[in-house]
Amino acid sequence: MTAWLEQQAEVRERRGLVRTPTVRVANGPRGKESVPGTEAGAGRTGGHRRMIDLASNDYLGLSTDPRLAEAATDAIRRWGTGAASSRLVTGTTELHLELEHHLALFAGAEAALVFSSGYLANLGVTTALGGPGTLIVADEHCHASLIDGFRLSRSEVREFKHNDAADAAGLLQGRTQPRALVVVESIYSVGGDAAPLQELFNLAQEHDAVLLIDEAHSLGVAGVGPFQGRGAVAGTRLADHPGVVRTATLSKALGSQGGAVLGSSLLREHLVNRSRSFIFDTALAPAAAAAAMAAVGIIQQEPWRAAAVHHNAAALTSQLQPTLGRPDAVERSSGAVQSIPMPSAEAALAASQAAYAAGVQVGCFRPPSVPDGVSRLRLTARANLTPTDLDHACTVLRDILERTP
C-alpha cells in the first residue's frame, strides 16, 4: 500500500494536480478579512492582507451576516451544539420542521426534507429512488455527489451529452426498466450554464420519468421577477409537479450548512423511510438549521442581493472579454459562476497561483474535478463585491490571462 500511495503522489506531482487546503483566517469579529494559507506545512502567511474572494460559494455574502450568527447562537443556547442523534431517534427538533416548512414555501414545493449536507441529500434521493428497476439518464456534467448516488443505487446509468435533450431522449427510447430518472443541474457548478429545464421536463413526461434537478448553484441566485433568488424552478409549472424532484444545499447562497430535497409529501415520506443518508446520519446541527432559516427570510426581504450577483457577473464578463480579445474567454452564465477555459491543468494552476499572489482568490478546476482537457478558472460573482474589488480583480486577471498561451 505504501508503494502505491507514493506512486500516486508522484503522478499528481508530475501532472500538476497536487491539492492542499486553503486556510481562511478570521480577522475581526465578523471574519470578513482572511489570509488564505500557503502550502501544507508552511504555516500562515506573514501579516494580514485582504483577499478579494472570487472563489467561495458564499454568493449572497450571508455567511458572515450577523443576523445568521444571532439565529445560530440562539439555537445553540436552546438546543445545544449538536443534534445528538439521527432524525428518527431524537435528532429532529422544532427547528428542523420549521426550516423544512419555510424551504418548501420559499421554493414553491409541497414538502421538503433536510439532510446534514447537500452531498447527502443527493446520495439520499438517488439511492432511494434508484435501484435495479430504475434507469438513470444523467447529464454528463452532473456533480460528483449525484454520480456517487447513481453508483450506490445500483441503477443502470446512461449519460447524455451536456444539455442535449435529444440525446437524452434517445437513451430513454425502448427502456425496459419500470422506472426512470432524468438527472440534471439547473445551473452547473463548473461552467455556470443553465439546463433546458422545460425541454427536459417535457421529455421526462413523455417517457413517464421523474425529472431530478440539483439546484445547489441556483437557490438564492436564480429566478425571475418576484421569484428572484428562489431558484430556477420556482414560479414555473415544474415547482409543485409530482414528477419533479429538486435537491438544494444550504451551504452556498444561504450561508449555512446542510442540504434539502424538495418535492411531494409522498416523496418526503418515502425518503424518511428509505433514504439511508437520512436514516443513519446524525441530524443537521440546530445552529445550522436556524442560520439557514434566517437566510431564507433575508433573501425574501432583500431581493437586491440576488440582483447584485447578476450585476457583478455582468461586470466581470464585460471587463474581461474585450481586453482579452477572446469572445469565449469568459462566457456570461445564468448564475454566480463565471468560467474561463484554460489550455491545461498546469496553466490553470499557474494562473490561480498568480492571482492569489496579487490578492485575488479564484477557483481552479482541473482533473479529477473535471475531465482531462477542460481545466478552467472559476470566478464567483458574489453579491458583496464592491466596484473597487471588481476593477482590481479584473486588472489582475487580464494581466495573467494575456500572458497565458
Side-chain angles (χ1 to χ4, degrees):
M1 176 63 76
T2 300
W4 179 79
L5 291 173
E6 290 174 345
Q7 181 187 47
Q8 294 299 302
E10 290 173 2
V11 170
R12 287 192 296 271
E13 183 71 32
R14 185 170 63 252
R15 299 184 63 196
L17 303 180
V18 176
R19 288 164 166 73
T20 56
T22 297
V23 180
R24 187 161 63 97
V25 182
N27 181 23
R30 290 177 58 188
K32 278 195 168 181
E33 309 293 334
S34 65
V35 182
T38 55
E39 293 298 314
R44 297 178 180 175
T45 56
H48 285 261
R49 62 174 174 142
R50 185 173 185 275
M51 296 292 294
I52 297 175
D53 177 11
L54 294 183
S56 80
N57 295 320
D58 185 19
Y59 297 147
L60 303 181
L62 291 178
S63 71
T64 55
D65 191 292
R67 292 168 290 184
L68 270 66
E70 183 179 358
T73 301
D74 289 345
I76 288 173
R77 291 194 182 103
R78 184 175 182 189
W79 301 103
T81 56
S85 79
S86 67
R87 289 284 302 271
L88 296 185
V89 183
T90 62
T92 297
T93 68
E94 295 169 0
L95 274 176
H96 293 91
L97 300 179
E98 192 175 356
L99 172 59
E100 289 167 349
H101 173 71
H102 282 281
L103 282 172
L105 286 177
F106 178 67
E110 183 181 358
L113 185 66
V114 168
F115 289 69
S116 61
S117 75
Y119 204 108
L120 292 179
N122 276 342
L123 287 184
V125 72
T126 49
T127 53
L129 295 180
T134 301
L135 170 66
I136 294 177
V137 175
D139 191 288
E140 63 183 349
H141 286 189
C142 277
H143 190 264
S145 57
L146 290 166
I147 294 170
D148 287 351
F150 303 160
R151 293 169 177 169
L152 288 171
S153 75
R154 295 175 298 157
S155 306
E156 181 179 345
V157 182
R158 301 174 186 171
E159 287 189 347
F160 62 90
K161 296 173 184 176
H162 181 51
N163 277 347
D164 189 336
D167 192 36
L171 298 177
L172 285 166
Q173 291 287 351
R175 80 168 199 260
T176 58
Q177 299 85 349
R179 298 178 303 280
L181 289 175
V182 177
V183 186
V184 298
E185 298 179 33
S186 54
I187 294 178
Y188 284 87
S189 59
V190 178
D193 51 335
L197 294 180
Q198 188 61 57
E199 190 176 358
L200 291 165
F201 171 73
N202 294 339
L203 173 66
Q205 289 294 290
E206 179 184 347
H207 290 274
D208 190 28
V210 169
L211 177 61
L212 173 58
I213 306 168
D214 182 343
E215 292 236 78
H217 295 269
S218 175
L219 193 70
V221 174
V224 179
F227 300 98
Q228 187 170 51
R230 301 190 183 207
V233 175
T236 72
R237 67 190 182 108
L238 282 65
D240 61 352
H241 194 284
V244 176
V245 178
R246 284 175 279 169
T247 61
T249 178
L250 314 180
S251 62
K252 292 181 172 60
L254 271 62
S256 182
Q257 193 75 29
V261 177
L262 303 157
S264 67
S265 296
L266 189 62
L267 170 70
R268 185 185 187 280
E269 180 188 4
H270 178 74
L271 295 176
V272 167
N273 287 276
R274 295 295 301 273
S275 174
R276 292 170 67 86
S277 63
F278 175 84
I279 296 169
F280 297 103
D281 185 46
T282 297
L284 182 67
M293 191 156 55
V296 168
I298 291 170
I299 293 170
Q300 294 176 87
Q301 296 159 13
E302 300 177 359
W304 64 263
R305 291 181 181 270
V309 169
H310 295 280
H311 177 272
N312 289 341
L316 277 173
T317 56
S318 65
Q319 288 193 53
L320 289 176
Q321 283 176 340
T323 302
L324 292 172
R326 294 162 50 196
D328 64 339
V330 184
E331 188 172 332
R332 177 71 174 90
S333 78
S334 300
V337 171
Q338 313 303 307
S339 180
I340 304 178
M342 299 298 287
S344 65
E346 293 80 4
L349 179 60
S352 67
Q353 290 174 335
Y356 169 78
V360 179
Q361 195 163 11
V362 301
C364 175
F365 280 68
R366 51 209 165 99
S369 300
V370 294
D372 286 332
V374 293
S375 294
R376 62 192 61 223
L377 299 182
R378 194 184 80 159
L379 315 182
T380 302
R382 298 165 55 249
N384 54 349
L385 292 168
T386 68
T388 301
D389 291 337
L390 291 169
D391 289 345
H392 176 66
C394 287
T395 298
V396 168
L397 290 169
R398 282 196 301 266
D399 179 64
I400 293 168
L401 294 171
E402 286 171 351
R403 291 185 280 109
T404 299

